[in-house]
Amino acid sequence: MSDNQLNVLVVCGSLRQNSYNAALARTLPSLAPPGLALKAGPPWHTMPIYNHDIPDVPAEAVAWADAIRGADGVIIVSPEYNWSIPGGLKNAIDWVSRMKDVPFKEKPVAIQSCATGVLGGARMQYHLRQSLTSIDAFLFGKPEVLVTFAAKKFDEKTLALTDQPTIDDVKQQLAAFEKFVRRLNGRK
Amino acid sequence: MADRTVNVITICGSLRKGSYNRIVMNALPGLAPEGMQIKEAPPFSEFPLYNADIQNATGFPAPVQTLANAIRAADGVIFVTPEYNFGIPGPLKNAIDWVSRVPNQPFAGKPIALQSASPGPLGGGRVQYDLRRSMVFLDAFTLNKPEIFIGNCAQRLDDKTGKITDEQTIGFIRQQLAAFANFIAAHGPKG
Ligand SMILES: Cc1cc2nc3c(=O)[nH]c(=O)nc-3n(C[C@H](O)[C@H](O)[C@H](O)COP(=O)(O)O)c2cc1C
Ligand SMILES: Cc1cc2nc3c(=O)[nH]c(=O)nc-3n(C[C@H](O)[C@H](O)[C@H](O)COP(=O)(O)O)c2cc1C
């Protein structure tokens, strides 16, 4: 049974310690169906600012790309910054997009976001879809996970996800994402 | 009679030396209408990747404050940027994210113009619409038209001499800068 598990990488778009998105990312393994083995992706915060003149792709970007290539799917959990993708996360995507064997190509990707505001990061999600289209990822559709008013959905002290409707949404997405990945990989 | 000089700063979204967008940016002072002075903004290449914990522990990094101050002091800002993966280059977005957190947020009420160059046919259409959206959130005022999308830019810009070789492109840029001067005047002095 466990050799039939899918390996899914979880990438978080926020670097701050008490991040709601990081808290959600940490919660995912406990909400995933048995067929998904979730693992946190390698760090991207040590990648230099992208400059085309840097001759070699930095080691951190190589490691990140390898982890994505090696995974059956990727879940990106990210805040929205200024109505779009956080610059740091976009920087990581820009780096690996220049590699020969682009790691996101035909990779199943699901997106989740937490925001303190009313839209829950929707504008970031739609922009991320646009960017991932440029590197030919296979984007999961519904159900979407948009955690609005994040401060009310996580425990103030422990940052545990306490909001039951959100927990249900996440469980549904993870179950549907497993089906999506198996379908794309031709594994029933 | 121009009542006073309008000071505009330019921000290039590409860090590479031979950047096509930098060629365009460098040409702007020579194409500006009378009364508009254009100079390059302080760099963002040394900004760390945004992390709210850095901001809270040690405050805004010095280069972030320098850029924020320059934006605040300018009458207008022109972004000249490539498109990366159908959107804003990560480094430029990171710079905007940092600046957006500085108190008395410097883009608020600021006139903005956008230009992009790409070797591809669209000339960066998608990055401009991504930038417009971020600028709405930051309450800046972005010039509508004319838009400057320099498509197939390798044929219009000479990366050996660093010059714009295409007369039509030069004409469009002059028109946009003239329109931007009016746009800045229409929005009045900064509050
Ligand atoms: C640079 C920056 C830009 C932001 N822009 C947005 C935005 O456009 N939309 C939004 O809903 N929240 C925005 N926020 C607020 C975030 O939703 C909030 O800080 C959230 O807690 C960040 O996610 P995290 O807790 O995982 O770090 C922004 C925050 C920062 C630091
Ligand atoms: C990370 C990366 C992503 C890119 N994505 C796009 C894109 O989405 N659309 C496009 O027209 N060109 C894209 N390009 C090609 C750039 O337009 C081209 O490299 C251009 O020369 C960059 O601008 P510069 O000359 O000012 O550095 C991309 C280039 C890089 C390095």
Side-chain angles (χ1 to χ4, degrees):
Chain A
M1 181 70 202
S2 72
D3 44 319
N4 202 14
Q5 265 194 329
L6 297 170
N7 291 307
V8 170
L9 206 67
V10 181
V11 170
C12 177
S14 173
L15 297 176
R16 71 185 187 100
Q17 193 113 42
N18 293 326
S19 157
Y20 297 117
N21 287 282
L24 176 58
R26 284 194 300 271
T27 311
L28 297 185
S30 69
L31 304 179
L36 289 188
L38 304 186
K39 189 171 92 176
W44 49 260
H45 67 277
T46 43
M47 290 185 205
I49 297 264
Y50 183 84
N51 179 339
H52 204 72
D53 292 333
I54 298 176
D56 299 313
V57 176
E60 299 87 341
V62 172
W64 204 61
D66 285 343
I68 293 167
R69 268 189 218 107
D72 296 306
V74 178
I75 301 174
I76 299 177
V77 188
S78 176
E80 171 177 291
Y81 283 177
N82 298 306
W83 290 7
S84 189
I85 307 168
L89 176 63
K90 181 63 168 39
N91 186 61
I93 294 171
D94 290 343
W95 267 116
V96 303
S97 75
R98 305 317 287 169
M99 300 176 77
K100 279 215 182 65
D101 175 17
V102 178
F104 280 103
K105 189 175 164 56
E106 303 192 345
K107 187 68 60 185
V109 179
I111 303 173
Q112 305 184 350
S113 55
C114 303
T116 46
V118 61
L119 291 187
R123 288 164 293 218
M124 180 286 299
Q125 291 208 10
Y126 281 89
H127 196 69
L128 190 54
R129 283 181 184 273
Q130 186 173 321
S131 274
L132 293 173
T133 299
S134 84
I135 43 179
D136 213 7
F138 286 151
L139 293 161
F140 173 77
K142 292 204 289 186
E144 298 180 301
V145 172
L146 294 152
V147 183
T148 58
F149 304 116
K152 292 188 191 141
K153 314 241 161 115
F154 293 85
D155 185 272
E156 213 178 310
K157 292 211 180 64
T158 64
L159 285 177
L161 177 60
T162 50
D163 184 63
Q164 193 58 45
T166 303
I167 291 172
D168 295 341
D169 284 349
V170 171
K171 279 188 175 163
Q172 280 173 28
Q173 192 199 59
L174 293 175
F177 188 55
E178 177 184 355
K179 287 201 184 112
F180 180 75
V181 177
R182 289 195 191 280
R183 176 174 163 188
L184 287 167
N185 291 353
R187 284 186 247 169
K188 290 287 138 60
Chain B
M1 195 193 79
D3 10 2
R4 68 175 189 100
T5 305
V6 170
N7 289 303
V8 169
I9 60 172
T10 50
I11 298 178
C12 180
S14 170
L15 296 176
R16 83 183 177 97
K17 278 213 189 64
S19 160
Y20 289 117
N21 287 281
R22 179 161 283 279
I23 291 175
V24 174
M25 184 184 78
N26 289 342
L28 299 185
L31 302 175
E34 206 183 324
M36 178 185 277
Q37 254 190 19
I38 302 184
K39 65 173 209 249
E40 184 178 358
F44 59 78
S45 52
E46 302 300 318
F47 288 18
L49 295 182
Y50 181 82
N51 179 341
D53 294 337
I54 300 178
Q55 183 188 319
N56 294 332
T58 51
F60 289 94
V64 171
Q65 283 173 347
T66 304
L67 179 58
N69 288 337
I71 294 168
R72 219 177 272 122
D75 296 303
V77 178
I78 304 176
F79 287 101
V80 189
T81 182
E83 170 176 291
Y84 282 0
N85 299 306
F86 297 1
I88 306 174
L92 176 61
K93 182 59 169 45
N94 184 61
I96 294 170
D97 291 345
W98 267 114
V99 167
S100 75
R101 306 318 282 180
V102 176
N104 183 14
Q105 191 266 100
F107 284 111
K110 190 70 55 185
I112 306 285
L114 307 176
Q115 304 182 352
S116 56
S118 165
L122 293 188
R126 291 159 294 214
V127 66
Q128 293 199 17
Y129 281 86
D130 193 16
L131 261 172
R132 278 183 190 275
R133 186 163 44 170
S134 287
M135 288 298 127
V136 174
F137 181 57
L138 294 174
D139 209 13
F141 298 118
T142 305
L143 175 75
N144 295 329
K145 294 201 285 188
E147 298 179 296
I148 305 283
F149 302 117
I150 308 174
N152 303 316
C153 71
Q155 280 107 67
R156 302 177 202 273
L157 311 172
D158 186 338
D159 54 2
K160 298 220 174 54
T161 61
K163 294 268 185 316
I164 306 177
T165 49
D166 180 52
E167 283 304 322
Q168 202 184 21
T169 300
I170 291 173
F172 285 143
I173 292 175
R174 280 189 200 279
Q175 283 173 33
Q176 194 203 51
L177 294 177
F180 194 42
N182 290 335
F183 185 78
I184 291 171
H187 283 80
K190 44 186 186 289

